[in-house]
Amino acid sequence: MTVQVVERPDAPRRWTREAVSAWFEAPFADLLFRAQTVHRQHFDPNQVQLSRLVSIKTGGCPEDCGYCSQSAHHKTGVKPTKLMTLEQVVAAARAAKASGTQRLCLGAAWRSPRARDLDTVCAMIGAIKAEGLESCVTLGMLDAEQAERLAAAGLDYYNHNIDTSREYYSLVTSTRTMDDRLGTLERVRGAGIKVCSGGIIGMGESRADRVGMLLLLANLPQPPDSVPINALMRVDGTPLAGSSSIDGIEFVRTVAVARISMPRSVVRLSAGREQMSDELQALCFLAGANSIFIGEQLLTTPNPSRERDASLLERLGIQPLGAPAAPACSE
Ligand code: SAM
Ligand code: DTB
Ligand code: SF4
């Protein structure tokens, strides 16, 4: 193994393209061993964080993201809805709490929120917190004042993905730029909200794009607290519906390099688990993924059933974060 890693655990580290590429190209066993080692320095390897998603405003989005079922530019059959009511979100938060979830994430198909809608979302955040859950929202682009308002409402995390490399970005979305995306992330961080940002694998991007995406995330002034790695959900009617499915080994490599390059971030095995075998998901956990979405629906596409997830976690001896830890194995 030729990759040189200088251990400076407390120093902020700038990753080079060469170092990130080298990990992508390393023998699989070396890559997974390193990812597991780094993972164990910062996390309990037998715990995963559970989040639940609710789409509070579905469809009719003015943006043209080529992967997305909710863009008004594509004919996908997703029916636009109005913004959910506060009461509906309270009911969702109670159900999430009862099912052992730690965090509730609200998603809205907006380019950016309108003032009146932001008032409603702030009330929803208050309701989620009142149930004793962590809150996360993803509402599109934010200005500084909007970020401050969400922070004042008690928001824990803001999800805003960079999705892919800077070079590939304009082939996926034309109605905004990577710099728009990075600007929102800076304002979210500036308001004191935790940052959740990752991307999508399997959109026809090259390995160099996957390297570029992780490099951009890892070299942010502070890496995201949470890094969702989504496998593209191919939705009929979207421009990316015909993309070839991503090779499972390459997906695990991406998760492992995310873990190595962002050692303290929670890496979420996000969209795409429905299509993955249990064995592929197990490899992703070994590679350092330590968060998943549970519940049978993501925003508009399916996610594994509760029974399938319970069986998977049970067979792997993985505990949900917040649950009492299982006895450690000592040979
Ligand atoms: N409109 C907001 C935005 O784009 O930031 C929030 C909602 S948007 C659906 C949240 C994220 O979901 C996107 O940034 C993308 O990474 C992910 N996503 C959307 N459609 C997806 C798909 N078909 N497969 C995988 N991930 C997807
Ligand atoms: C993220 O990175 N993945 C989630 C969440 N953040 C908002 C969304 C996945 C959406 C998958 C496609 C859909 O269900 O429409
Ligand atoms: Fe709209 Fe977000 Fe979908 Fe893009 S990813 S079309 S911004 S909902």
Side-chain angles (χ1 to χ4, degrees):
M1 176 73 230
T2 52
V3 178
Q4 292 291 315
V5 179
V6 182
E7 285 299 331
R8 290 181 308 154
D10 298 321
R13 128 160 232 200
R14 238 193 118 67
W15 282 86
T16 62
R17 180 170 288 274
E18 291 66 37
V20 175
S21 296
W23 277 119
F24 256 104
E25 274 147 37
F28 196 64
D30 292 344
L31 174 64
L32 256 66
F33 181 66
R34 180 67 196 164
Q36 227 347 260
T37 306
V38 169
H39 191 47
R40 283 168 182 263
Q41 284 165 358
H42 301 286
F43 296 100
D44 178 338
N46 303 315
Q47 282 199 326
V48 292
Q49 188 276 333
L50 305 183
S51 291
R52 195 175 263 271
L53 265 176
V54 176
S55 182
I56 54 169
K57 159 67 183 96
T58 306
C61 183
E63 304 264 36
D64 70 351
C65 311
Y67 49 79
C68 188
S69 64
Q70 304 195 65
S71 166
H73 297 257
H74 322 316
K75 281 206 172 63
T76 62
V78 166
K79 280 213 182 79
T81 64
K82 286 203 277 196
L83 179 58
M84 267 188 184
T85 62
L86 179 58
E87 292 67 35
Q88 286 172 304
V89 171
V90 169
R94 291 197 176 137
K97 180 77 185 172
S99 70
T101 313
Q102 195 195 22
R103 187 178 310 156
L104 190 64
C105 306
L106 307 180
W110 291 327
R111 175 173 164 82
S112 54
R114 294 181 307 185
R116 192 160 47 90
D117 293 335
L118 198 64
D119 290 339
T120 309
V121 174
C122 287
M124 291 171 174
I125 292 165
I128 293 170
K129 304 290 296 174
E131 293 301 323
L133 292 169
E134 290 179 338
S135 57
C136 174
V137 300
T138 178
L139 316 171
M141 292 186 273
L142 298 181
D143 63 27
E145 199 189 320
Q146 290 172 321
E148 293 294 344
R149 288 200 47 213
L150 289 167
L155 181 65
D156 296 296
Y157 290 83
Y158 195 80
N159 167 246
H160 200 66
N161 292 338
I162 64 164
D163 283 336
T164 189
S165 67
R166 185 179 277 286
E167 294 73 27
Y168 202 63
Y169 197 81
S170 60
L171 280 92
V172 172
T173 305
S174 77
T175 48
R176 57 169 190 252
T177 64
M178 179 63 90
D179 286 326
D180 291 331
R181 237 32 205 174
L182 296 174
T184 292
L185 290 179
E186 199 180 308
R187 293 186 280 277
V188 166
R189 186 62 90 191
I193 300 166
K194 294 193 193 78
V195 167
C196 172
S197 188
I200 307 178
I201 307 303
M203 299 194 292
E205 77 287 347
S206 62
R207 180 181 273 182
D209 292 309
R210 293 188 275 279
V211 168
M213 178 182 95
L214 294 182
L215 191 63
L216 204 49
L217 291 169
N219 283 341
L220 286 173
Q222 195 179 330
D225 302 277
S226 160
V227 181
I229 305 292
N230 297 275
L232 175 69
M233 300 294 285
R234 287 169 289 174
V235 177
D236 285 347
T238 61
L240 292 176
S243 309
S244 321
S245 73
I246 182 76
D247 168 53
I249 301 292
E250 182 68 9
F251 189 83
V252 177
R253 283 186 178 275
T254 309
V255 171
V257 179
R259 164 53 61 230
I260 293 168
S261 57
M262 292 171 273
R264 291 178 169 77
S265 307
V266 170
V267 175
R268 182 172 307 113
L269 177 55
S270 202
R273 290 197 304 114
E274 172 70 0
Q275 276 84 278
M276 292 178 197
S277 66
D278 287 357
E279 293 80 3
L280 179 53
Q281 293 185 61
L283 276 175
C284 290
F285 294 131
L286 272 177
N290 57 350
S291 169
I292 54 173
F293 285 119
I294 57 159
E296 303 198 350
Q297 172 134 329
L298 292 165
L299 293 172
T300 66
T301 63
N303 202 39
S305 70
R306 215 166 155 60
E307 293 70 33
R308 188 181 160 202
D309 276 346
S311 155
L312 174 64
L313 297 184
E314 214 251 321
R315 281 179 293 145
L316 297 177
I318 291 180
Q319 304 286 319
L321 194 71
C329 174
S330 53
E331 303 296 309

